[in-house]
Amino acid sequence: MPTPHATTQVAPPSALLALTELPRALAELSSLGMAAPFLASAPRGDGHPVMVLPGFVTSDISTTVLRRYLTQIGYDAHTWDLGRNLGPKAIGMQGEKLIARLHAIHEATGQKVSLIGWSLGGVMARQLARRAPDAVRQVISLGSPFTGTPKATNVWRAYEMLTGQKIDDADVTEQLRESASPPPVPSTSIYTREDGVVAWQNCVEPRSAETDNIEVHGSHCGLGVNPAVLYAVADRLAQAEGDWHPFSRRGLRALVYPFAGHA
């Protein structure tokens, strides 16, 4: 099914949203203490491995809070171990370094690996699931613009400068075309309409039997420390393998999670 922005140009987020990213992210981080009882009520994990992929220009340090939370609730959380996320400079031109990292975790644990990718990391996670579906349990992306034009972001020029890769290259265009379709494993997109970095419309999963979208309130840079995001991630990971189902907004959850449809 085509996405609504496949034929409609989507503008990057406003300057106001972009300029307030840092203070909003810090506010989300500071809310973790108050949200502790809410986070403690999340489903417990089954111990399966989870690899967390950082966003553009960030490293494993940026995912520390998320990984620590996953460990606390019972998962085997792993870093990606590829330094700063500078696109192909980090993962290899064909993603070979990232594929090798996934296989190393898969072979060491003997279990399929759930992938959580923040922003660019989520785009990579979706592609990784296509390259090695037998090693991936599910994909969860956080504010990841996996479809639409890559110029609907406030950092595309920085991406070209720091990665050496032009976003209108044939290879990038083909990967984005492929990424717009659901991966071969269950996939959930968590996004915010208040995103100041990427256009939220480009983060919406198309409808399929194993895709879902969870909208939260918050910033792009705070997605990895946002209590609503952490709880939703825990809920998604807790599903039994082979028994995936959409996120429930029943009861008090409806106050935290706006209804989110599909592309």
Side-chain angles (χ1 to χ4, degrees), residues 1-38:
M1 177 181 293
T3 62
H5 40 284
T7 57
T8 304
Q9 283 285 0
V10 177
S14 69
L16 176 62
L17 286 176
L19 291 172
T20 57
E21 272 287 328
L22 181 56
R24 288 189 290 134
L26 291 174
E28 288 155 46
L29 177 61
S30 67
S31 71
L32 285 173
M34 187 168 55
F38 171 63

Side-chain angles (χ1 to χ4, degrees), residues 48-157:
H48 81 263
V50 181
M51 179 168 66
V52 186
L53 288 66
F56 175 53
V57 306
T58 65
S59 67
D60 289 321
I61 294 174
S62 68
T63 66
T64 299
V65 171
L66 174 55
R67 287 183 288 104
R68 185 176 298 161
Y69 175 63
L70 295 179
T71 300
Q72 289 173 350
I73 62 174
Y75 293 100
D76 181 17
H78 293 262
T79 57
W80 87 327
D81 278 357
L82 296 175
R84 289 192 178 276
N85 189 341
L86 295 177
K89 287 185 177 179
I91 67 173
M93 289 305 297
Q94 302 302 319
E96 61 273 10
K97 296 178 183 178
L98 184 55
I99 293 171
R101 175 61 175 154
L102 169 65
H103 283 312
I105 297 172
H106 178 51
E107 292 168 7
T109 62
Q111 298 182 72
K112 288 186 176 182
V113 183
S114 287
L115 304 176
I116 302 174
W118 191 347
S119 196
L120 178 60
V123 178
M124 292 174 170
R126 289 167 65 88
Q127 293 300 89
L128 183 56
R130 298 181 204 281
R131 304 297 182 260
D134 292 341
V136 177
R137 179 161 166 167
Q138 67 169 300
V139 174
I140 303 171
S141 58
L142 312 180
S144 300
F146 47 77
T147 188
T149 172
K151 289 190 176 181
T153 167
N154 288 316
V155 297
W156 69 268
R157 292 182 179 84

